[in-house]
Tab-separated table of all heavy atoms in Angstrom:
chain	number	residue	atom	x	y	z
R	873	MET	N	0.801	-1.218	0.014
R	873	MET	CA	-0.015	0.037	-0.034
R	873	MET	C	0.864	1.289	-0.028
R	873	MET	O	1.874	1.319	0.610
R	873	MET	CB	-0.888	-0.012	1.220
R	873	MET	CG	-2.034	1.003	1.140
R	873	MET	SD	-3.029	0.924	2.632
R	873	MET	CE	-3.607	-0.782	2.549
R	874	LYS	N	0.414	2.256	-0.747
R	874	LYS	CA	1.253	3.442	-0.961
R	874	LYS	C	0.570	4.650	-0.245
R	874	LYS	O	-0.628	4.793	-0.237
R	874	LYS	CB	1.224	3.750	-2.471
R	874	LYS	CG	2.456	4.321	-3.025
R	874	LYS	CD	2.424	4.257	-4.604
R	874	LYS	CE	3.222	5.382	-5.196
R	874	LYS	NZ	3.146	5.407	-6.563
R	875	CYS	N	1.425	5.526	0.309
R	875	CYS	CA	0.967	6.772	0.978
R	875	CYS	C	0.467	7.692	0.021
R	875	CYS	O	1.043	7.996	-1.020
R	875	CYS	CB	2.105	7.338	1.763
R	875	CYS	SG	1.704	8.964	2.516
R	876	GLY	N	-0.828	8.246	0.202
R	876	GLY	CA	-1.462	9.209	-0.636
R	876	GLY	C	-0.839	10.572	-0.601
R	876	GLY	O	-1.071	11.419	-1.423
R	877	GLN	N	0.029	10.816	0.367
R	877	GLN	CA	0.690	12.119	0.504
R	877	GLN	C	2.110	12.202	-0.048
R	877	GLN	O	2.405	13.026	-0.799
R	877	GLN	CB	0.783	12.560	1.992
R	877	GLN	CG	-0.617	12.896	2.545
R	877	GLN	CD	-1.126	14.201	1.958
R	877	GLN	OE1	-0.515	15.218	1.880
R	877	GLN	NE2	-2.423	14.113	1.517
R	878	CYS	N	2.926	11.182	0.367
R	878	CYS	CA	4.361	11.233	-0.051
R	878	CYS	C	4.733	10.163	-0.950
R	878	CYS	O	5.827	10.126	-1.445
R	878	CYS	CB	5.277	11.287	1.185
R	878	CYS	SG	5.419	9.717	2.092
R	879	GLY	N	3.873	9.127	-1.207
R	879	GLY	CA	4.147	8.094	-2.057
R	879	GLY	C	4.991	6.953	-1.514
R	879	GLY	O	5.311	5.987	-2.228
R	880	ASN	N	5.349	7.028	-0.198
R	880	ASN	CA	6.143	5.999	0.440
R	880	ASN	C	5.331	4.705	0.454
R	880	ASN	O	4.083	4.620	0.614
R	880	ASN	CB	6.359	6.371	1.867
R	880	ASN	CG	7.160	5.364	2.636
R	880	ASN	OD1	8.260	4.972	2.298
R	880	ASN	ND2	6.553	4.919	3.773
R	881	VAL	N	6.007	3.577	0.192
R	881	VAL	CA	5.406	2.249	0.200
R	881	VAL	C	5.651	1.491	1.533
R	881	VAL	O	6.834	1.692	2.010
R	881	VAL	CB	5.849	1.360	-0.985
R	881	VAL	CG1	5.270	-0.035	-0.997
R	881	VAL	CG2	5.554	2.125	-2.290
R	882	GLY	N	4.742	0.849	2.078
R	882	GLY	CA	4.954	0.141	3.315
R	882	GLY	C	4.235	0.812	4.522
R	882	GLY	O	4.890	1.127	5.491
R	883	LEU	N	2.999	1.038	4.456
R	883	LEU	CA	2.178	1.634	5.441
R	883	LEU	C	1.980	0.600	6.597
R	883	LEU	O	1.797	-0.637	6.360
R	883	LEU	CB	0.875	2.148	4.945
R	883	LEU	CG	0.980	3.105	3.824
R	883	LEU	CD1	-0.464	3.767	3.508
R	883	LEU	CD2	1.888	4.274	4.100
R	884	GLU	N	1.948	1.141	7.843
R	884	GLU	CA	1.792	0.306	9.057
R	884	GLU	C	0.274	0.113	9.298
R	884	GLU	O	-0.477	1.136	9.399
R	884	GLU	CB	2.471	0.900	10.271
R	884	GLU	CG	3.930	1.038	10.027
R	884	GLU	CD	4.547	1.823	11.191
R	884	GLU	OE1	3.849	2.772	11.713
R	884	GLU	OE2	5.732	1.590	11.491
R	885	PRO	N	-0.289	-1.067	9.428
R	885	PRO	CA	-1.631	-1.303	9.784
R	885	PRO	C	-1.909	-0.773	11.209
R	885	PRO	O	-1.035	-0.940	12.057
R	885	PRO	CB	-1.933	-2.699	9.663
R	885	PRO	CG	-0.587	-3.474	9.767
R	885	PRO	CD	0.434	-2.438	9.329
R	886	GLY	N	-3.163	-0.374	11.444
R	886	GLY	CA	-3.553	0.041	12.809
R	886	GLY	C	-5.056	0.466	12.785
R	886	GLY	O	-5.723	0.156	11.810
R	887	PHE	N	-5.465	1.081	13.905
R	887	PHE	CA	-6.865	1.491	13.942
R	887	PHE	C	-6.946	2.766	14.874
R	887	PHE	O	-6.097	3.032	15.606
R	887	PHE	CB	-7.808	0.352	14.479
R	887	PHE	CG	-7.561	-0.062	15.925
R	887	PHE	CD1	-8.372	0.484	16.898
R	887	PHE	CD2	-6.533	-0.941	16.200
R	887	PHE	CE1	-8.075	0.092	18.255
R	887	PHE	CE2	-6.308	-1.303	17.496
R	887	PHE	CZ	-7.065	-0.853	18.504
R	888	ILE	N	-8.081	3.437	14.824
R	888	ILE	CA	-8.306	4.617	15.633
R	888	ILE	C	-8.931	4.157	16.959
R	888	ILE	O	-10.109	3.633	16.901
R	888	ILE	CB	-9.172	5.615	14.964
R	888	ILE	CG1	-8.657	5.979	13.584
R	888	ILE	CG2	-9.386	6.882	15.815
R	888	ILE	CD1	-7.387	6.810	13.600
R	889	GLU	N	-8.287	4.391	18.092
R	889	GLU	CA	-8.918	3.995	19.286
R	889	GLU	C	-9.946	4.880	19.794
R	889	GLU	O	-9.935	6.135	19.610
R	889	GLU	CB	-7.777	3.994	20.376
R	889	GLU	CG	-8.288	3.452	21.755
R	889	GLU	CD	-7.300	3.613	22.921
R	889	GLU	OE1	-6.376	4.427	22.750
R	889	GLU	OE2	-7.357	2.844	23.891
R	890	ASP	N	-11.044	4.309	20.373
R	890	ASP	CA	-12.086	5.064	21.106
R	890	ASP	C	-11.914	4.725	22.479
R	890	ASP	O	-12.318	3.670	22.979
R	890	ASP	CB	-13.420	4.769	20.509
R	890	ASP	CG	-14.502	5.527	21.286
R	890	ASP	OD1	-14.218	6.285	22.258
R	890	ASP	OD2	-15.669	5.344	20.883
R	891	ALA	N	-11.354	5.656	23.393
R	891	ALA	CA	-11.042	5.357	24.767
R	891	ALA	C	-12.197	5.855	25.703
R	891	ALA	O	-12.038	5.954	26.818
R	891	ALA	CB	-9.744	5.917	25.229
R	892	GLY	N	-13.337	6.265	25.089
R	892	GLY	CA	-14.438	6.758	25.832
R	892	GLY	C	-15.044	5.772	26.755
R	892	GLY	O	-14.915	4.476	26.467
R	893	GLU	N	-15.725	6.147	27.764
R	893	GLU	CA	-16.417	5.173	28.736
R	893	GLU	C	-17.397	4.400	27.950
R	893	GLU	O	-18.173	4.963	27.140
R	893	GLU	CB	-17.086	6.032	29.798
R	893	GLU	CG	-16.917	5.354	31.182
R	893	GLU	CD	-17.457	6.260	32.289
R	893	GLU	OE1	-17.128	7.432	32.299
R	893	GLU	OE2	-18.253	5.762	33.134
R	894	HIS	N	-17.554	3.126	28.274
R	894	HIS	CA	-18.493	2.152	27.651
R	894	HIS	C	-18.187	2.017	26.196
R	894	HIS	O	-19.018	1.477	25.450
R	894	HIS	CB	-19.976	2.610	27.779
R	894	HIS	CG	-20.309	2.901	29.309
R	894	HIS	ND1	-20.176	1.999	30.248
R	894	HIS	CD2	-20.846	4.024	29.827
R	894	HIS	CE1	-20.606	2.540	31.438
R	894	HIS	NE2	-20.958	3.805	31.217
R	895	SER	N	-17.124	2.438	25.670
R	895	SER	CA	-16.867	2.278	24.269
R	895	SER	C	-16.302	0.823	24.027
R	895	SER	O	-15.867	0.169	24.925
R	895	SER	CB	-15.767	3.292	23.788
R	895	SER	OG	-14.501	2.790	23.951
R	896	ARG	N	-16.333	0.354	22.737
R	896	ARG	CA	-15.809	-0.906	22.427
R	896	ARG	C	-14.258	-0.813	22.198
R	896	ARG	O	-13.643	-1.893	21.914
R	896	ARG	CB	-16.437	-1.369	21.123
R	896	ARG	CG	-17.856	-1.721	21.243
R	896	ARG	CD	-18.590	-1.618	19.883
R	896	ARG	NE	-20.032	-1.393	20.113
R	896	ARG	CZ	-20.882	-2.320	19.740
R	896	ARG	NH1	-20.497	-3.409	19.126
R	896	ARG	NH2	-22.189	-2.146	19.982
R	897	GLY	N	-13.735	0.337	22.224
R	897	GLY	CA	-12.239	0.509	22.092
R	897	GLY	C	-11.799	0.877	20.717
R	897	GLY	O	-10.617	1.075	20.507
R	898	TYR	N	-12.683	0.879	19.705
R	898	TYR	CA	-12.332	1.285	18.379
R	898	TYR	C	-13.377	2.170	17.816
R	898	TYR	O	-14.600	2.077	18.178
R	898	TYR	CB	-12.186	0.062	17.511
R	898	TYR	CG	-13.323	-0.871	17.388
R	898	TYR	CD1	-14.284	-0.687	16.373
R	898	TYR	CD2	-13.614	-1.873	18.272
R	898	TYR	CE1	-15.373	-1.441	16.255
R	898	TYR	CE2	-14.696	-2.673	18.266
R	898	TYR	CZ	-15.577	-2.521	17.147
R	898	TYR	OH	-16.683	-3.303	17.132
R	899	ALA	N	-12.959	3.091	16.957
R	899	ALA	CA	-13.904	3.976	16.288
R	899	ALA	C	-14.528	3.307	15.082
R	899	ALA	O	-13.904	2.501	14.473
R	899	ALA	CB	-13.157	5.267	15.912
R	900	ARG	N	-15.830	3.714	14.856
R	900	ARG	CA	-16.466	3.178	13.687
R	900	ARG	C	-16.995	4.337	12.723
R	900	ARG	O	-17.200	5.461	13.191
R	900	ARG	CB	-17.725	2.358	14.144
R	900	ARG	CG	-17.444	1.163	14.842
R	900	ARG	CD	-18.660	0.435	15.400
R	900	ARG	NE	-19.380	1.235	16.374
R	900	ARG	CZ	-20.459	0.866	16.907
R	900	ARG	NH1	-20.954	-0.351	16.726
R	900	ARG	NH2	-21.086	1.616	17.851
R	901	TRP	N	-17.105	3.978	11.500
R	901	TRP	CA	-17.682	4.923	10.503
R	901	TRP	C	-19.149	4.696	10.399
R	901	TRP	O	-19.591	3.449	10.330
R	901	TRP	CB	-17.024	4.729	9.114
R	901	TRP	CG	-17.568	5.695	8.123
R	901	TRP	CD1	-17.152	6.953	7.866
R	901	TRP	CD2	-18.608	5.471	7.155
R	901	TRP	NE1	-17.867	7.484	6.829
R	901	TRP	CE2	-18.747	6.546	6.353
R	901	TRP	CE3	-19.435	4.351	6.894
R	901	TRP	CZ2	-19.703	6.686	5.296
R	901	TRP	CZ3	-20.379	4.432	5.853
R	901	TRP	CH2	-20.512	5.576	5.184
R	902	VAL	N	-20.040	5.668	10.581
R	902	VAL	CA	-21.461	5.447	10.566
R	902	VAL	C	-22.074	6.100	9.275
R	902	VAL	O	-21.666	7.246	8.917
R	902	VAL	CB	-22.132	6.158	11.752
R	902	VAL	CG1	-23.592	5.945	11.787
R	902	VAL	CG2	-21.503	5.613	13.055
R	903	GLU	N	-22.875	5.366	8.634
R	903	GLU	CA	-23.439	5.770	7.380
R	903	GLU	C	-24.411	6.968	7.565
R	903	GLU	O	-25.179	6.950	8.567
R	903	GLU	CB	-24.343	4.607	6.811
R	903	GLU	CG	-24.657	4.724	5.347
R	903	GLU	CD	-25.339	3.397	4.913
R	903	GLU	OE1	-26.467	3.124	5.336
R	903	GLU	OE2	-24.717	2.711	4.203
R	904	GLY	N	-24.359	7.963	6.717
R	904	GLY	CA	-25.301	9.107	6.834
R	904	GLY	C	-24.647	10.247	7.554
R	904	GLY	O	-23.866	10.101	8.480
R	905	ALA	N	-25.059	11.489	7.189
R	905	ALA	CA	-24.548	12.672	7.809
R	905	ALA	C	-24.923	12.742	9.328
R	905	ALA	O	-25.901	12.166	9.769
R	905	ALA	CB	-25.102	13.923	7.116
R	906	LEU	N	-24.042	13.381	10.075
R	906	LEU	CA	-24.207	13.494	11.519
R	906	LEU	C	-25.527	14.286	11.905
R	906	LEU	O	-25.702	15.347	11.422
R	906	LEU	CB	-23.036	14.152	12.178
R	906	LEU	CG	-23.090	14.483	13.665
R	906	LEU	CD1	-23.198	13.278	14.506
R	906	LEU	CD2	-21.949	15.304	14.084
R	907	GLN	N	-26.399	13.570	12.731
R	907	GLN	CA	-27.558	14.214	13.246
R	907	GLN	C	-27.483	14.074	14.740
R	907	GLN	O	-27.219	13.010	15.253
R	907	GLN	CB	-28.881	13.656	12.719
R	907	GLN	CG	-29.095	13.972	11.306
R	907	GLN	CD	-30.385	13.295	10.774
R	907	GLN	OE1	-30.698	12.172	11.133
R	907	GLN	NE2	-31.165	14.066	10.055
R	908	ARG	N	-27.813	15.166	15.516
R	908	ARG	CA	-27.724	15.086	16.930
R	908	ARG	C	-29.112	14.929	17.519
R	908	ARG	O	-30.117	15.402	17.069
R	908	ARG	CB	-27.076	16.364	17.480
R	908	ARG	CG	-25.627	16.428	17.171
R	908	ARG	CD	-24.927	17.627	17.939
R	908	ARG	NE	-23.526	17.632	17.576
R	908	ARG	CZ	-23.048	18.319	16.532
R	908	ARG	NH1	-23.844	18.941	15.728
R	908	ARG	NH2	-21.769	18.351	16.220
R	909	GLY	N	-29.253	14.159	18.622
R	909	GLY	CA	-30.489	13.907	19.332
R	909	GLY	C	-30.705	15.032	20.390
R	909	GLY	O	-29.908	16.039	20.432
R	910	PRO	N	-31.849	14.926	21.105
R	910	PRO	CA	-32.194	16.003	22.074
R	910	PRO	C	-31.108	16.280	23.159
R	910	PRO	O	-30.955	17.370	23.643
R	910	PRO	CB	-33.397	15.493	22.717
R	910	PRO	CG	-33.818	14.123	22.157
R	910	PRO	CD	-32.770	13.850	21.095
R	911	LEU	N	-30.316	15.246	23.491
R	911	LEU	CA	-29.291	15.441	24.511
R	911	LEU	C	-27.879	15.762	23.872
R	911	LEU	O	-26.901	15.853	24.562
R	911	LEU	CB	-29.142	14.143	25.400
R	911	LEU	CG	-30.433	13.758	26.147
R	911	LEU	CD1	-30.208	12.475	26.828
R	911	LEU	CD2	-30.805	14.876	27.088
R	912	GLY	N	-27.895	15.941	22.569
R	912	GLY	CA	-26.645	16.423	21.919
R	912	GLY	C	-25.824	15.271	21.393
R	912	GLY	O	-24.888	15.473	20.663
R	913	GLY	N	-26.254	14.054	21.756
R	913	GLY	CA	-25.424	12.883	21.201
R	913	GLY	C	-25.820	12.507	19.804
R	913	GLY	O	-26.819	12.946	19.289
R	914	ALA	N	-24.894	11.863	19.060
R	914	ALA	CA	-25.123	11.438	17.700
R	914	ALA	C	-26.236	10.432	17.573
R	914	ALA	O	-26.261	9.472	18.367
R	914	ALA	CB	-23.801	10.942	17.106
R	915	ARG	N	-27.116	10.638	16.635
R	915	ARG	CA	-28.147	9.608	16.346
R	915	ARG	C	-27.510	8.544	15.409
R	915	ARG	O	-26.916	8.849	14.441
R	915	ARG	CB	-29.292	10.213	15.580
R	915	ARG	CG	-30.108	11.067	16.455
R	915	ARG	CD	-31.356	11.555	15.760
R	915	ARG	NE	-32.074	12.481	16.619
R	915	ARG	CZ	-33.274	12.943	16.322
R	915	ARG	NH1	-33.832	12.678	15.106
R	915	ARG	NH2	-33.904	13.787	17.139
R	916	ARG	N	-27.583	7.237	15.879
R	916	ARG	CA	-26.920	6.311	15.061
R	916	ARG	C	-27.742	4.943	15.003
R	916	ARG	O	-27.283	3.905	14.429
R	916	ARG	CB	-25.510	5.902	15.562
R	916	ARG	CG	-25.461	5.605	17.043
R	916	ARG	CD	-24.186	6.115	17.651
R	916	ARG	NE	-24.308	6.072	19.108
R	916	ARG	CZ	-23.400	6.542	19.947
R	916	ARG	NH1	-22.350	7.064	19.502
R	916	ARG	NH2	-23.607	6.463	21.223
R	917	MET	N	-28.931	4.987	15.615
R	917	MET	CA	-29.805	3.796	15.616
R	917	MET	C	-30.209	3.462	14.209
R	917	MET	O	-30.570	4.346	13.396
R	917	MET	CB	-31.040	4.057	16.397
R	917	MET	CG	-30.890	4.137	17.911
R	917	MET	SD	-30.736	2.495	18.684
R	917	MET	CE	-32.442	2.008	18.663
R	918	GLY	N	-30.049	2.197	13.844
R	918	GLY	CA	-30.476	1.724	12.590
R	918	GLY	C	-29.567	2.051	11.392
R	918	GLY	O	-29.816	1.663	10.271
R	919	ARG	N	-28.397	2.716	11.709
R	919	ARG	CA	-27.443	3.016	10.673
R	919	ARG	C	-26.486	1.936	10.530
R	919	ARG	O	-26.089	1.234	11.473
R	919	ARG	CB	-26.663	4.274	11.108
R	919	ARG	CG	-27.585	5.503	11.371
R	919	ARG	CD	-27.528	6.480	10.267
R	919	ARG	NE	-28.128	7.777	10.707
R	919	ARG	CZ	-27.426	8.889	10.706
R	919	ARG	NH1	-26.170	8.922	10.465
R	919	ARG	NH2	-28.052	9.995	11.070
R	920	ALA	N	-25.880	1.773	9.347
R	920	ALA	CA	-24.864	0.832	9.080
R	920	ALA	C	-23.559	1.404	9.749
R	920	ALA	O	-23.320	2.586	9.670
R	920	ALA	CB	-24.645	0.630	7.554
R	921	LYS	N	-22.761	0.493	10.431
R	921	LYS	CA	-21.536	0.902	11.047
R	921	LYS	C	-20.375	0.078	10.507
R	921	LYS	O	-20.535	-1.161	10.327
R	921	LYS	CB	-21.674	0.694	12.521
R	921	LYS	CG	-22.714	1.559	13.166
R	921	LYS	CD	-23.042	1.166	14.619
R	921	LYS	CE	-24.222	1.931	15.107
R	921	LYS	NZ	-25.529	1.272	14.593
R	922	TRP	N	-19.256	0.680	10.268
R	922	TRP	CA	-18.163	0.039	9.637
R	922	TRP	C	-16.930	0.154	10.500
R	922	TRP	O	-16.675	1.279	11.076
R	922	TRP	CB	-17.912	0.569	8.206
R	922	TRP	CG	-19.011	0.396	7.257
R	922	TRP	CD1	-20.252	0.901	7.348
R	922	TRP	CD2	-18.955	-0.477	6.135
R	922	TRP	NE1	-20.980	0.452	6.281
R	922	TRP	CE2	-20.232	-0.428	5.538
R	922	TRP	CE3	-18.008	-1.373	5.610
R	922	TRP	CZ2	-20.548	-1.118	4.372
R	922	TRP	CZ3	-18.323	-2.044	4.443
R	922	TRP	CH2	-19.561	-1.969	3.846
R	923	GLN	N	-16.170	-0.883	10.601
R	923	GLN	CA	-14.909	-0.845	11.241
R	923	GLN	C	-13.884	0.077	10.487
R	923	GLN	O	-13.859	-0.001	9.284
R	923	GLN	CB	-14.387	-2.238	11.312
R	923	GLN	CG	-12.908	-2.382	11.902
R	923	GLN	CD	-12.420	-3.770	11.797
R	923	GLN	OE1	-13.183	-4.705	12.029
R	923	GLN	NE2	-11.190	-3.994	11.436
R	924	VAL	N	-13.221	0.979	11.181
R	924	VAL	CA	-12.255	1.919	10.535
R	924	VAL	C	-10.811	1.373	10.754
R	924	VAL	O	-10.307	1.202	11.804
R	924	VAL	CB	-12.338	3.327	11.139
R	924	VAL	CG1	-11.253	4.212	10.523
R	924	VAL	CG2	-13.684	3.950	10.879
R	925	ASP	N	-10.203	1.003	9.586
R	925	ASP	CA	-8.796	0.639	9.581
R	925	ASP	C	-7.945	1.804	9.259
R	925	ASP	O	-8.227	2.525	8.280
R	925	ASP	CB	-8.520	-0.524	8.636
R	925	ASP	CG	-9.298	-1.853	8.981
R	925	ASP	OD1	-9.363	-2.057	10.201
R	925	ASP	OD2	-9.776	-2.464	8.056
R	926	ALA	N	-6.873	2.094	9.991
R	926	ALA	CA	-6.045	3.229	9.755
R	926	ALA	C	-4.616	2.817	9.519
R	926	ALA	O	-4.006	2.241	10.321
R	926	ALA	CB	-6.138	4.218	10.954
R	927	HIS	N	-4.177	3.103	8.336
R	927	HIS	CA	-2.742	2.638	7.958
R	927	HIS	C	-1.887	3.941	8.051
R	927	HIS	O	-2.178	5.015	7.492
R	927	HIS	CB	-2.713	2.079	6.530
R	927	HIS	CG	-3.462	0.762	6.471
R	927	HIS	ND1	-2.866	-0.440	6.463
R	927	HIS	CD2	-4.823	0.542	6.417
R	927	HIS	CE1	-3.729	-1.398	6.397
R	927	HIS	NE2	-4.969	-0.851	6.349
R	928	ARG	N	-0.779	3.820	8.794
R	928	ARG	CA	0.121	4.962	9.004
R	928	ARG	C	1.334	4.934	8.149
R	928	ARG	O	1.974	3.837	8.095
R	928	ARG	CB	0.451	4.965	10.551
R	928	ARG	CG	1.429	6.061	10.905
R	928	ARG	CD	1.814	5.994	12.367
R	928	ARG	NE	2.820	6.970	12.719
R	928	ARG	CZ	4.087	6.758	12.512
R	928	ARG	NH1	4.566	5.690	12.127
R	928	ARG	NH2	5.004	7.738	12.844
R	929	CYS	N	1.598	6.097	7.604
R	929	CYS	CA	2.922	6.157	6.806
R	929	CYS	C	4.065	6.470	7.800
R	929	CYS	O	3.966	7.505	8.446
R	929	CYS	CB	2.822	7.258	5.735
R	929	CYS	SG	4.307	7.559	4.941
R	930	PRO	N	5.089	5.659	7.884
R	930	PRO	CA	6.197	5.854	8.791
R	930	PRO	C	7.055	6.955	8.274
R	930	PRO	O	7.775	7.612	9.154
R	930	PRO	CB	6.959	4.583	8.762
R	930	PRO	CG	6.519	3.793	7.601
R	930	PRO	CD	5.181	4.319	7.203
R	931	ALA	N	6.957	7.424	7.072
R	931	ALA	CA	7.827	8.515	6.527
R	931	ALA	C	7.210	9.857	6.871
R	931	ALA	O	7.970	10.748	7.367
R	931	ALA	CB	7.939	8.286	5.019
R	932	CYS	N	5.889	10.085	6.705
R	932	CYS	CA	5.363	11.435	6.891
R	932	CYS	C	4.310	11.411	7.904
R	932	CYS	O	3.822	12.558	8.291
R	932	CYS	CB	4.870	11.994	5.495
R	932	CYS	SG	3.358	11.242	5.006
R	933	GLY	N	3.800	10.266	8.454
R	933	GLY	CA	2.801	10.271	9.447
R	933	GLY	C	1.293	10.393	8.942
R	933	GLY	O	0.396	10.347	9.723
R	934	HIS	N	1.171	10.465	7.663
R	934	HIS	CA	-0.123	10.517	7.029
R	934	HIS	C	-0.946	9.164	7.434
R	934	HIS	O	-0.360	8.132	7.471
R	934	HIS	CB	-0.087	10.672	5.566
R	934	HIS	CG	-1.376	10.595	4.884
R	934	HIS	ND1	-2.340	11.632	4.927
R	934	HIS	CD2	-1.957	9.654	4.009
R	934	HIS	CE1	-3.341	11.284	4.221
R	934	HIS	NE2	-3.090	10.151	3.659
R	935	LEU	N	-2.250	9.352	7.688
R	935	LEU	CA	-3.092	8.203	7.919
R	935	LEU	C	-3.958	7.921	6.744
R	935	LEU	O	-4.717	8.879	6.277
R	935	LEU	CB	-3.975	8.390	9.169
R	935	LEU	CG	-3.215	8.444	10.512
R	935	LEU	CD1	-4.235	8.748	11.629
R	935	LEU	CD2	-2.418	7.187	10.808
R	936	GLU	N	-4.037	6.739	6.302
R	936	GLU	CA	-4.985	6.359	5.199
R	936	GLU	C	-6.075	5.539	5.938
R	936	GLU	O	-5.820	4.447	6.596
R	936	GLU	CB	-4.338	5.402	4.182
R	936	GLU	CG	-3.214	6.102	3.378
R	936	GLU	CD	-3.756	6.817	2.140
R	936	GLU	OE1	-4.977	6.827	1.918
R	936	GLU	OE2	-2.882	7.341	1.406
R	937	LEU	N	-7.355	6.003	5.821
R	937	LEU	CA	-8.397	5.410	6.540
R	937	LEU	C	-9.299	4.541	5.575
R	937	LEU	O	-9.596	4.995	4.429
R	937	LEU	CB	-9.332	6.452	7.112
R	937	LEU	CG	-8.621	7.405	8.240
R	937	LEU	CD1	-9.599	8.375	8.738
R	937	LEU	CD2	-8.038	6.538	9.329
R	938	PHE	N	-9.673	3.332	5.963
R	938	PHE	CA	-10.466	2.472	5.177
R	938	PHE	C	-11.638	1.927	6.029
R	938	PHE	O	-11.409	1.593	7.132
R	938	PHE	CB	-9.670	1.332	4.565
R	938	PHE	CG	-8.570	1.786	3.689
R	938	PHE	CD1	-7.340	2.058	4.114
R	938	PHE	CD2	-8.850	1.880	2.308
R	938	PHE	CE1	-6.280	2.440	3.317
R	938	PHE	CE2	-7.922	2.292	1.484
R	938	PHE	CZ	-6.598	2.554	1.919
R	939	ALA	N	-12.886	1.945	5.504
R	939	ALA	CA	-13.961	1.270	6.132
R	939	ALA	C	-14.421	0.129	5.159
R	939	ALA	O	-15.170	0.340	4.320
R	939	ALA	CB	-15.137	2.304	6.379
R	940	ARG	N	-13.843	-1.051	5.449
R	940	ARG	CA	-14.010	-2.140	4.480
R	940	ARG	C	-14.948	-3.224	5.034
R	940	ARG	O	-15.433	-3.969	4.335
R	940	ARG	CB	-12.581	-2.805	4.272
R	940	ARG	CG	-11.603	-2.019	3.516
R	940	ARG	CD	-10.464	-2.976	3.219
R	940	ARG	NE	-9.375	-2.242	2.498
R	940	ARG	CZ	-8.181	-2.056	2.980
R	940	ARG	NH1	-7.877	-2.479	4.226
R	940	ARG	NH2	-7.220	-1.443	2.286
R	941	GLN	N	-15.152	-3.176	6.368
R	941	GLN	CA	-15.842	-4.334	6.969
R	941	GLN	C	-16.952	-3.783	7.939
R	941	GLN	O	-16.677	-3.011	8.805
R	941	GLN	CB	-14.854	-5.099	7.853
R	941	GLN	CG	-15.346	-6.494	8.261
R	941	GLN	CD	-14.384	-7.209	9.119
R	941	GLN	OE1	-13.135	-7.043	9.058
R	941	GLN	NE2	-14.850	-8.027	9.992
R	942	GLN	N	-18.106	-4.200	7.580
R	942	GLN	CA	-19.314	-3.788	8.445
R	942	GLN	C	-19.270	-4.522	9.775
R	942	GLN	O	-18.966	-5.623	9.829
R	942	GLN	CB	-20.593	-4.059	7.694
R	942	GLN	CG	-21.744	-3.209	8.170
R	942	GLN	CD	-22.959	-3.186	7.249
R	942	GLN	OE1	-22.854	-3.556	6.079
R	942	GLN	NE2	-24.110	-2.905	7.745
R	943	VAL	N	-19.615	-3.771	10.843
R	943	VAL	CA	-19.595	-4.432	12.185
R	943	VAL	C	-20.927	-4.242	12.847
R	943	VAL	O	-21.697	-3.430	12.465
R	943	VAL	CB	-18.435	-3.888	13.052
R	943	VAL	CG1	-17.092	-4.387	12.617
R	943	VAL	CG2	-18.453	-2.372	13.150
H	240	ZN	ZN1	3.718	9.419	3.642
């Protein structure tokens, strides 16, 4: 895999951590534009959610994000 910023080959696999309370430990991509509920939280009921894979370029630090797998 090639870096979209500097063209370096050999990106390191990883993911974006979600360290919030009651979180599963990883961030997800949610289908549809952000809408907030009455308490200010994001509405996500019934939406498709995808695992976010983040590949890091060791040369410039750029992150390439992919949502390939529905969770
Ligand atoms: Zn790079």
Side-chain angles (χ1 to χ4, degrees):
M873 196 178 298
K874 214 168 150 182
C875 175
Q877 287 296 310
C878 74
N880 179 59
V881 180
L883 303 188
E884 302 169 327
F887 66 97
I888 306 290
E889 183 188 24
D890 178 357
E893 220 174 310
H894 307 304
S895 89
R896 291 155 201 248
Y898 58 91
R900 292 178 296 181
W901 182 85
V902 181
E903 195 175 70
L906 173 64
Q907 288 182 317
R908 292 188 179 87
L911 299 175
R915 290 188 182 183
R916 54 212 167 188
M917 288 282 284
R919 304 256 192 117
K921 298 167 189 80
W922 295 69
Q923 176 184 318
V924 175
D925 296 323
H927 295 257
R928 178 182 174 273
C929 173
C932 76
H934 175 70
L935 294 178
E936 296 273 2
L937 301 179
F938 296 91
R940 292 189 181 113
Q941 196 184 331
Q942 202 166 339
V943 287

